[in-house]
Amino acid sequence: MNNQASDAPLTLRDVAAAAGVSLATADRVVNGRPGVSAKTARKVHEAVQRLGFRPLAAAAELARARSWRFAVILPGGGNRFMMDIADNIRAQADWFRARRIGVEIVEADVFDADTLAAELATLPGRFDGVALVALDHPRIRAAIDDLVEGGMAVVTLVSDAPSSRRQHYVGIDNIAAGRTAGSLVGRFLGPPRAGEPGGAVGIITGSGSLRDHAERRFGFGQVLAEEYPHLTRLNPVEGRDDPERNRDLVRRMLADTPDLVAIYNTGEGSVGIGEALAEAGLTRKILCVGHELTPATRRMLLDGTFAALVAQDPGHEVRSMARVLHALVAGQEIVAAQEHIRVQVILRDNLP
Amino acid sequence: MNNQASDAPLTLRDVAAAAGVSLATADRVVNGRPGVSAKTARKVHEAVQRLGFRPLAAAAELARARSWRFAVILPGGGNRFMMDIADNIRAQADWFRARRIGVEIVEADVFDADTLAAELATLPGRFDGVALVALDHPRIRAAIDDLVEGGMAVVTLVSDAPSSRRQHYVGIDNIAAGRTAGSLVGRFLGPPRAGEPGGAVGIITGSGSLRDHAERRFGFGQVLAEEYPHLTRLNPVEGRDDPERNRDLVRRMLADTPDLVAIYNTGEGSVGIGEALAEAGLTRKILCVGHELTPATRRMLLDGTFAALVAQDPGHEVRSMARVLHALVAGQEIVAAQEHIRVQVILRDNLP
DNA sequence: CATATTTTGAGTTGCGCACCTCAAAATGCC
DNA sequence: GGCATTTTGAGGTGCGCAACTCAAAATATG
C-alpha cells in the first residue's frame, strides 16, 4: 500500500521529450488529430502510459474555451420531487457557471407524447445536450433518436426510455426500488400468524404511462408474490400523484377492504393517504411505504404514518446529470461507478 | 421557473468595467489583497453581486499553479471497509492527478494513541492536508490541534474526534446508524406476540475505543429501550472486527442464550457470525443486522443470513474527503449539503 | 505649502493546454 | 533520379485568472 505522488508536474512537454517527438506531435496524438504515422503515435502512447500522463483538467478546460448549453425537461405541475430536481439545479448554478455550463429548465407536459416530442424538436441548435424525464413512447423514442442523430447529447432522467438511443440514464433501477418496497412491506408486516389470514395490500400508483411507476409496481408485485404469498395484492389504482385523488382512493379502499394491512404508493401525493388514514383513525395501524423524501413524507415518516420511504437523491441525480452531459459533449469518459444512483431506504432514524 | 444562462462569459474584466475600476483593483478586492480603500472595495463587491460573477474554476486553478499533498491515515490490518476506502483512493488517482493532488495512504495503528500521535507529528512540512480515522483520545485531540495550529487542513474520516479542532468530519452520523439498525431489528422481529416473551438481542462490537462503534451501540440501545422494551439486550461483546473471534462469541452466545432472536454487529467480521449460525443450523432463524457492504456481507445478504446492512459509501466518502481537503487548502467554500454522507440501508433488493 | 503615504491604474508573466499556421524533413511513387 | 505526398517540428495565440511590478494619481500629514 503506498503513494501515488506526482511531484513532478508532468506536462505534455515531458511526454513529448520522453517519446522523442515534438510538442506539436505529442499534442496531435493525444488529441487524436490526423497527420501522425502509426509508429510515432505508438511511441507517444507508450510515453503517456509509462509516465502516467493525464492532461491537467483545469488547463484543458480553460484552453477549450467554449461553453455548453444544456436543457432539462421536467414535468410541470406540482410534483414535489420534480421541484426538488429543479431547486437542485438552481442551487448549483454557481457550479455550472464555473464550468461554463448554462442550464435551462424547461417545463413540459411529459405525459403528452406529441407535446413533448414537439418540444424536443425545438432543441437542436439551441442546446448541446438535454436531460429529460422520458415518456417511454414510440414518438418520444423517435424524437430522442433524432436528437442523438443530430449530434446532441441526450440523457434520460428519473424515468428512462431504454429503447431509445439516449446515451445514458440518470436515475434509479425502479424495479429494484419496487422490490425494496415489497421487502419492507413483507418484513415489516411479519410472518403470517397461525390461523390468521395474511391481509390485503393496497397499491396506489401515479400513472400507467411513465415507465418508472410501472417498473416499481412490477418489482413490488414480484417480491410479494414470491416471498409473501400470504398477502393479497389489490389491483393498483391510479391517483395521478394527486393528494386529493389519493385520499379518495384510500377512503374507498378502506371501505371496501376490511382486511387491509398495508398501502404502497409508487409515486407522489402520499399526503392524501395520511389524511384518509387519520380520518379513519388508522394512522400507524396500516403499514405505509412510499417514495421520495419531501416535506410531506418527511413529516409522515416522523409521525409514524409512513414506516419507510424508498428514495432517490435529487441532488445526486442533478450532479450526475451535469457530469454525464459534460463528459458526453466534451468527449470525456464517464466513470460508471460514480454515476450509479442508489435506491435509498429511509426510515425515521436515518432521515438526512 | 427559468434559465440561468450565462451567455456572456463574464470575466473579472467585466466586473472591473462595471465597477468603474481597473482590472488590478478588481483583482485585489476579489482576492482579498490589501491596498484598496473601503469605498472602492464596496463598489467592486457590488458589481460582483450585481453581475453574479464567479471566477472560472479552471482558470483560477490553473493560475494558482500549485499542487497539494494530502495524507490519508487508515488503520492497518485486514479491515475490509478500510481496504475499500484505500481502493477508492487509488481508483481516483487520475482524478487527483488532474487536479494536482498527490495522495499518500499511510497505514497506522489507529488504536494506539501514542503511535498515531507520533505519526501525525511527522506530517507538517510534508503535507498540506490530512484525513485520518480518528481515535477520540486526548493525545490525538492534542495532535490534531497542533496540526491545525500549524496551518494544516485536517478532516476526520469515518470515525470522528469532535472535541478536536479538525475542520470537518467526513462520515456518517453513527448514532443515527445505530438507531437505524435498532429500528430494523425491532420492526423485522415484529410486535410481541401475546403470551410470548420478546427474546434477546445480542450485540457484537469491534472495540470500545473507536467512537463510531460506541455511537452505534448507543443509538441501537436507545431505540430498543424506547420502542421495543419487550426485547432484552445482551451486554455488548468485543470481537475486534475479527471473524474468528466473532464466531466464537456467537457460539457462546447461542449456547448461553436460548431465547436469542437477533444479533447486531456494529463492525466488521460479520462472516464469523454467519459461520456460527450455519453450524448451529440457525441461518435465517436468527435475525442479523450488520454494517458495511463487503463481499462477505453481500453474500450473506443474498443468502438471507443477514436481513439488512447499515452502510456508508466509501466512494462517496473518498470523493467528499478530496473535495473538502481541496476546498480547505484552496480557501474555497464547502457546500455542506453536498458533503453530507448518508446512512444507507441495504436490503437484498437494493444491493448496488 | 511641501512631503510622505495610500490608493489606483497599467502592464507583464505564467499556469498547461488546445488549436492553428507554416516550413522543413522524411517518405512514397513513378 | 525527380516529383508529390505525408509526416514532423517550431512556433504562435488565447483561454481567465493570480500574482506580481512600477509608476501615476489621490489623499493624508506635518
Side-chain angles (χ1 to χ4, degrees), chain A residues 72-95:
Chain A
V72 183
I73 301 184
L74 299 178
N79 188 311
R80 182 65 232 181
F81 179 74
M82 292 304 166
M83 289 163 71
D84 278 351
I85 293 268
D87 286 347
N88 268 285
I89 292 173
R90 280 188 279 270
Q92 297 197 36
D94 272 5
W95 188 92

Side-chain angles (χ1 to χ4, degrees), chain B residues 200-283:
Chain B
V201 178
I203 301 172
I204 296 181
T205 192
S207 138
S209 56
L210 272 183
R211 195 181 171 89
D212 52 354
H213 286 204
E215 291 182 339
R216 289 174 191 176
R217 287 195 305 273
F218 176 76
F220 185 81
Q222 214 180 27
V223 167
L224 256 61
E226 282 172 10
E227 301 182 36
Y228 306 97
H230 57 290
L231 298 174
T232 319
R233 268 171 297 138
L234 303 181
N235 280 330
V237 287
E238 287 197 19
R240 301 191 208 164
D241 292 338
D242 177 41
E244 297 193 16
R245 212 179 294 263
N246 284 347
R247 192 185 53 208
D248 293 343
L249 289 172
V250 172
R251 278 180 183 151
R252 202 166 322 146
M253 196 180 277
L254 291 172
D256 297 350
T257 322
D259 64 336
L260 189 75
V261 290
I263 299 177
Y264 171 46
N265 180 14
T266 70
E268 288 255 329
S270 286
V271 69
I273 299 172
E275 287 166 9
L277 289 178
E279 284 169 15
L282 289 171
T283 303

Side-chain angles (χ1 to χ4, degrees), chain A residues 22 25 28 36-37 40 63:
Chain A
S22 72
T25 299
R28 287 182 185 111
V36 181
S37 69
T40 310

Side-chain angles (χ1 to χ4, degrees), chain B residues 52-340:
Chain B
F53 169 79
R54 300 285 306 181
L56 185 68
E61 195 176 320
L62 182 60
R64 248 182 280 270
R66 61 161 300 186
S67 58
W68 310 103
R69 292 192 56 74
F70 297 150
V72 183
I73 301 185
L74 300 178
N79 187 310
R80 183 64 232 181
F81 179 74
M82 293 303 167
M83 290 163 70
D84 277 351
I85 293 267
D87 286 347
N88 268 285
I89 292 173
R90 288 196 209 86
Q92 297 197 33
D94 272 5
W95 189 92
F96 286 122
R97 244 215 327 279
R99 280 152 191 80
R100 287 198 188 91
I101 297 173
V103 178
E104 185 164 332
I105 299 171
V106 180
E107 269 195 29
D109 184 354
V110 294
F111 291 95
D112 182 57
D114 290 338
T115 312
L116 181 54
E119 186 71 48
L120 291 177
T122 70
L123 301 178
R126 298 163 54 213
F127 294 98
D128 306 292
V130 56
L132 74 153
V133 178
L135 194 65
D136 196 23
H137 182 284
R139 286 189 86 84
I140 303 305
R141 177 168 54 71
I144 290 176
D145 290 355
D146 286 348
L147 291 178
V148 174
E149 191 71 35
M152 192 171 310
V154 181
V155 308
T156 48
L157 187 62
V158 180
S159 192
D160 195 14
S163 60
S164 73
R165 290 172 54 198
R166 91 282 184 280
Q167 284 107 330
H168 192 87
Y169 163 58
V170 177
I172 57 173
D173 175 345
N174 281 298
I175 294 183
R179 290 186 59 95
T180 303
S183 281
L184 288 169
V185 166
R187 293 209 89 132
F188 281 10
L189 287 175
R193 314 218 166 176
E196 292 179 30
V201 178
I203 301 172
I204 296 181
T205 192
S207 138
S209 56
L210 272 183
R211 195 181 171 89
D212 52 354
H213 286 204
E215 291 182 339
R216 289 174 191 176
R217 287 195 305 273
F218 176 76
F220 185 81
Q222 214 180 27
V223 167
L224 256 61
E226 282 172 10
E227 301 182 36
Y228 306 97
H230 57 290
L231 298 174
T232 319
R233 268 171 297 138
L234 303 181
N235 280 330
V237 287
E238 287 197 19
R240 301 191 208 164
D241 292 338
D242 177 41
E244 297 193 16
R245 212 179 294 263
N246 284 347
R247 192 185 53 208
D248 293 343
L249 289 172
V250 172
R251 278 180 183 151
R252 202 166 322 146
M253 196 180 277
L254 291 172
D256 297 350
T257 322
D259 64 336
L260 189 75
V261 290
I263 299 177
Y264 171 46
N265 180 14
T266 70
E268 288 255 329
S270 286
V271 69
I273 299 172
E275 287 166 9
L277 289 178
E279 284 169 15
L282 289 171
T283 303
R284 284 188 296 272
K285 299 285 191 297
I286 303 264
L287 176 72
C288 292
V289 171
H291 278 271
E292 312 317 350
L293 186 62
T294 66
T297 54
R298 166 185 286 272
R299 190 164 20 82
M300 293 192 297
L301 205 56
L302 285 170
D303 72 16
T305 306
F306 272 67
L309 297 174
V310 177
Q312 52 195 321
D313 188 323
H316 282 182
E317 293 183 325
V318 166
R319 283 186 286 274
S320 179
M321 173 204 82
R323 277 193 304 265
V324 168
L325 278 177
H326 185 255
L328 286 171
V329 296
Q332 294 168 0
E333 208 176 341
I334 297 173
V335 185
Q338 190 176 346
E339 308 306 343
H340 178 85

